[in-house]
Amino acid sequence: MKSVCVLGDGQLGRMLKQAGEPLGIHVYPVGLDILPASIPYQDCIITAEIERWPDTPFTQILASHQAFINRDIFPIIADRLTQKQLFDSLHLPTAKWFVLNSQDDWSARFNQLGERLIVKRRVGGYDGRGQWRVKQDSISQVPIDAYQTSIVEESIAFDGEMSLIGARNYAGDTVFYPLTHNLHQDGILNMSVVFPDVDNTLQQQAQTMLSTIMNKLNYIGVMAMECFVVGDKLLINELAPRVHNSGHWTQNGASISQFELHLRAILGLPLPMPNVFAPSVMVNLIGTKYDINWLSIALVHLHWYQKEVRAGRKVGHLNLTHQNHQVLYNALQQLIPLLPANYLTAITWAQAKLA
Ligand code: ATP
Ligand code: MG
Ligand code: MG
C-alpha cells in the first residue's frame, strides 16, 4: 500500500491521518515545518487538504509531483472566477455573477443583480472572509484592492443551504452521501444535520450536478458541493476539491467516513457506497473553549483539533448520531447549557429538523 502526503497540516490533514491509521495507511500532513527527509514522499500519493497550502521548497516539490492527484484541478477551483466559468460552461445553475472591474460597474450590477450584492475575493477566502455584502449606500466598504480581484454575485434568498459530498475513483465510479443541511452564521458553518432518507428529487439533482463536474474534470477523490436550496431547485454556491467541514458527521454517522473515502479513492481501493444508518448532527466548535462536560452526554463524539482557541476559529466539532429523532433532540437540549449562548439559534434550527 502506498503512503499519502497531504499538502496542508490543519485539522483536515489531521483527520485524514486519523482515518488512515486503522487501515494501515500512513498519511503525512505537510505544513510549514516538516523536513522532507522525514517523509518517503517519492513513493507517496500526494493530495491536499486546502486549496492554498503553505508555500515552502518542500510543498513546491510535492505540488509539482507526478503523483499529486487532481494537480491541475486545484487552480481551477481555488479561483472563484474559473470555478464559476466551469459551472457556466456545464450549464449548472449558480447565483448570477460578474467580475468586479471598477467602481463604474456598480449601477449596472445593481440593475442586473438586484439591490443586495455579495462581493467575493477570487482567491484565498474561506469562512466568509474576503467577502462584503453591499447595497447601493454601502459600496464604500469594498476596499480598493478588491476591484479586479473579486467577483460580485446576486444575494440569493434561499430556503436553506445543503451540501453534497461525493467521491470518484480512477474507473470513473461515483458514490455519494445524503445531502447535508447546513446552517451558516456570519459566513461560517455552524451546524449540519443529515438524514438517511433524503428528498429524492433534490438528491438526484445534486448527484447529477456533482457527477457532471467530477466527470468533466476527471477528478479523483472526495469533492464537496455547497448549494442554496430555492424551492425544489438547487443552485451551486461553491465547490471544495477535498474533504469538507459539512462532511465531518460521516466520522460517526456513516460506515465509511469522508476521510477514509478520500483515501480509498486516491489509493485505488474499493469504493462502495457508504451506508448511512441514522440521522446525525455536527456542531462546529468555533472559538469555543474545551469543556469536559460535553463528554457527560453519551451521544457526543468530541473531535478536538488541538489548536489555540481564538475568536472565529474552528477548534473542534461534536458529532451526534442516533436512529431515534427524539433521543438526538434531547442530547442537543442537554448541550445548550454547555455551549455559549450564541449556539442557541443553531441548536434550535437543528432541533426543528428533528421534531
Ligand atoms: P467556506 O468556508 O465554505 O469556503 P467561503 O468563505 O468560501 O466559505 P461562501 O461559501 O461563498 O464563503 O459563503 C459563505 C456563506 O455566505 C454561504 O454559506 C451563505 O450562507 C452565504 N452566502 C454566500 N454567497 C451567497 C449568495 N450569493 N447569496 C446568499 N448568501 C450567500
Ligand atoms: Mg469557500
Ligand atoms: Mg462556502
Side-chain angles (χ1 to χ4, degrees), residues 249 251-253 280-283 285 294-295 297-304 316-321:
W249 63 269
Q251 290 172 309
N252 305 102
S280 290
V281 177
M282 191 272 324
V283 182
L285 300 169
W294 296 324
L295 303 180
I297 303 172
L299 287 196
V300 164
H301 294 275
L302 170 61
H303 298 263
W304 186 256
H317 65 273
L318 308 175
N319 284 340
L320 299 88
T321 299

Side-chain angles (χ1 to χ4, degrees), residues 161-230:
E161 292 188 83
M162 288 183 130
S163 57
L164 184 72
I165 295 178
R168 183 173 179 278
N169 66 10
Y170 295 93
D173 306 323
T174 51
V175 292
F176 300 93
Y177 295 102
L179 276 165
T180 304
H181 299 266
N182 300 316
L183 183 73
H184 295 84
Q185 284 174 336
D186 303 322
I188 186 164
L189 179 66
N190 236 276
M191 203 157 303
S192 298
V193 179
V194 66
F195 299 95
D197 45 353
V198 73
D199 177 303
N200 206 36
T201 321
L202 287 182
Q203 183 75 25
Q204 285 312 320
Q205 215 181 110
Q207 289 187 190
T208 304
M209 288 154 77
L210 186 52
S211 307
T212 304
I213 293 164
M214 291 197 293
N215 290 336
K216 168 74 184 179
L217 297 172
N218 197 16
Y219 183 83
I220 311 295
V222 163
M223 184 181 275
M225 178 180 76
E226 297 179 19
C227 295
F228 304 122
V229 186
V230 183

Side-chain angles (χ1 to χ4, degrees), residues 26-264:
H26 294 289
V27 177
Y28 302 95
V30 176
L32 283 173
D33 48 7
I34 207 112
L35 295 171
S38 63
I39 299 179
Y41 68 91
Q42 287 93 340
D43 297 322
C44 283
I45 294 289
I46 322 285
T47 188
E49 59 133 33
I50 192 169
E51 288 84 330
R52 293 214 307 171
W53 43 83
D55 191 25
T56 70
F58 184 37
T59 59
Q60 284 173 13
I61 292 173
L62 296 180
S64 53
H65 198 295
Q66 274 307 316
F68 179 19
I69 311 298
N70 307 317
R71 187 186 51 193
D72 302 330
I73 301 172
F74 274 92
I76 299 173
I77 295 181
D79 183 337
R80 289 190 196 275
L81 173 60
T82 47
Q83 191 184 134
K84 288 277 198 190
Q85 287 169 334
L86 174 71
F87 301 146
D88 288 357
S89 71
L90 296 171
H91 307 288
L92 295 172
T94 179
K96 278 194 237 125
W97 63 280
F98 290 89
V99 173
L100 184 64
N101 280 321
S102 82
Q103 310 216 22
D104 304 334
D105 292 353
W106 285 116
S107 73
R109 296 305 164 248
F110 282 106
N111 280 335
Q112 290 152 318
L113 302 175
E115 58 176 339
R116 295 158 61 84
L117 309 184
I118 305 192
V119 175
K120 300 183 177 180
R121 279 205 200 278
R122 282 173 53 181
V123 294
Y126 66 98
D127 290 346
R129 295 166 211 212
Q131 295 192 5
W132 300 269
R133 273 135 231 262
V134 294
K135 294 206 235 170
Q136 301 255 18
D137 59 4
S138 60
I139 47 174
S140 59
Q141 55 164 304
V142 177
I144 289 297
D145 69 358
Y147 293 89
Q148 300 192 351
T149 57
S150 303
I151 62 161
V152 53
E153 61 183 43
E154 66 177 322
S155 183
I156 304 293
F158 52 74
D159 298 312
E161 292 188 83
M162 288 183 130
S163 57
L164 184 72
I165 295 178
R168 183 173 179 278
N169 66 10
Y170 295 93
D173 306 323
T174 51
V175 292
F176 300 93
Y177 295 102
L179 276 165
T180 304
H181 299 266
N182 300 316
L183 183 73
H184 295 84
Q185 284 174 336
D186 303 322
I188 186 164
L189 179 66
N190 236 276
M191 203 157 303
S192 298
V193 179
V194 66
F195 299 95
D197 45 353
V198 73
D199 177 303
N200 206 36
T201 321
L202 287 182
Q203 183 75 25
Q204 285 312 320
Q205 215 181 110
Q207 289 187 190
T208 304
M209 288 154 77
L210 186 52
S211 307
T212 304
I213 293 164
M214 291 197 293
N215 290 336
K216 168 74 184 179
L217 297 172
N218 197 16
Y219 183 83
I220 311 295
V222 163
M223 184 181 275
M225 178 180 76
E226 297 179 19
C227 295
F228 304 122
V229 186
V230 183
D232 60 357
K233 293 275 185 300
L234 295 173
L235 293 179
I236 305 177
N237 173 25
E238 61 166 357
L239 298 173
R242 54 172 167 81
V243 289
H244 191 256
N245 194 170
S246 69
H248 287 1
W249 63 269
T250 60
Q251 290 172 309
N252 305 102
S255 61
I256 305 170
S257 76
Q258 63 164 346
F259 303 99
E260 181 177 334
L261 199 69
H262 184 66
L263 295 177
R264 286 176 180 238

